[in-house]
Amino acid sequence: MTSTLLYRCYDQIGEAATWLPHQEIFLWVDIDNALLHEYHPETNSVTDHSLPDMVTTIIPNREKTDEIWLALRNRLVSYHLKTGVIKELTILPAITPELRTNDGKSSPEGRIWLGVMHRSNHDKTGSLYCVEKDFSCRKILENQCIPNGIVWNRTGDTMYYADSGQGCIYRFAYDAQQGAIHSQQIAIQVPKEYGVPDGMAIDDRGFLWVAHWGGFGVYVWNPETGKLTDKIDVPTPLVASCAFGGKRMNELYITTARDGLSDEEKERFPLSGSLFVATLLNIKQ
């Protein structure tokens, strides 16, 4: 399976793939350039929103369709897509200047799970936080390397979480009442030649669609068996995040990056940093 170029851009780190079904628009960010991109499928156009700090995660607000929550370097804010108004929600505790937020998602019951990583030293310097509905924060995991993609199964009792620095995807039993995880297992240990797992999505079968940084694609894994079942090829090495979207939810939007590529690699892979899409058959969301 192959992807096609949807929108040419030059994101340093294109991340946080997010589909907003009520508005039928796709959002993603360029972390270091502090940009929120808003893609409109009907017009094939993009509106860019400049933010006051690096931005790493997008969380849809389930109660206000024109408002989203964003993770900036060390805090969560609300952002109104129409007016551009920003309101601070919470500052994450103990995030020193060498740390920053990374990938995050909202759990089925509405908590925000958010990774924090070191900018340069990835040797067990990261953490995973849970932000409650009142925006109080709890540190759930320490000694992480690069906390990344998070998803839940359809019944909401299993959480999958990628640590890119360890090259694996973990499975946890999820307690929605307490906002707790336990019974950690390795669901998928990614072979090094496939790159490392980054952002991910999950389908109705429970299969994981994982963007592989350094892997030239989105890999489809069966977490019950740990087996690779498919791959969507992307013509750039640094594939960062993906999300299902479109009117029939059968399109996979894929973000990519340029950060860390040499000048020669940028010439070899000129579409690095762009947005791609794959139209899928027999996928139900």
Side-chain angles (χ1 to χ4, degrees), residues 30-95:
D30 184 0
I31 292 178
D32 288 342
N33 287 322
L35 288 176
L36 169 68
H37 301 301
E38 178 181 337
Y39 175 74
H40 301 263
E42 289 190 0
T43 59
N44 192 33
S45 62
V46 170
T47 300
D48 283 340
H49 304 254
S50 294
L51 296 160
D53 198 355
M54 65 166 58
V55 55
T56 64
T57 295
I58 301 166
I59 304 291
N61 186 332
R62 302 175 188 184
E63 298 178 356
K64 299 178 181 179
T65 56
D66 286 331
E67 186 177 279
I68 57 175
W69 297 325
L70 300 173
L72 304 186
R73 186 190 68 81
N74 66 342
R75 63 196 188 277
L76 280 170
V77 302
S78 67
Y79 182 78
H80 197 283
L81 289 167
K82 302 296 185 185
T83 65
V85 171
I86 297 174
K87 296 180 181 178
E88 187 171 285
L89 301 172
T90 189
I91 296 177
L92 275 76
I95 297 191

Side-chain angles (χ1 to χ4, degrees), residues 179-232:
I181 53 177
H182 58 88
S183 304
Q184 178 176 347
Q185 298 175 315
I186 294 178
I188 299 156
Q189 184 67 56
V190 175
K192 290 184 179 180
E193 60 267 27
Y194 293 170
V196 298
D198 202 321
M200 61 180 166
I202 190 168
D203 67 21
D204 268 351
R205 303 167 298 173
F207 285 18
L208 304 178
W209 297 64
V210 186
H212 281 222
W213 186 274
F216 288 88
V218 174
Y219 293 63
V220 186
W221 296 93
N222 181 341
E224 295 301 319
T225 64
K227 302 296 184 182
L228 180 68
T229 66
D230 207 345
K231 180 192 175 188
I232 299 175

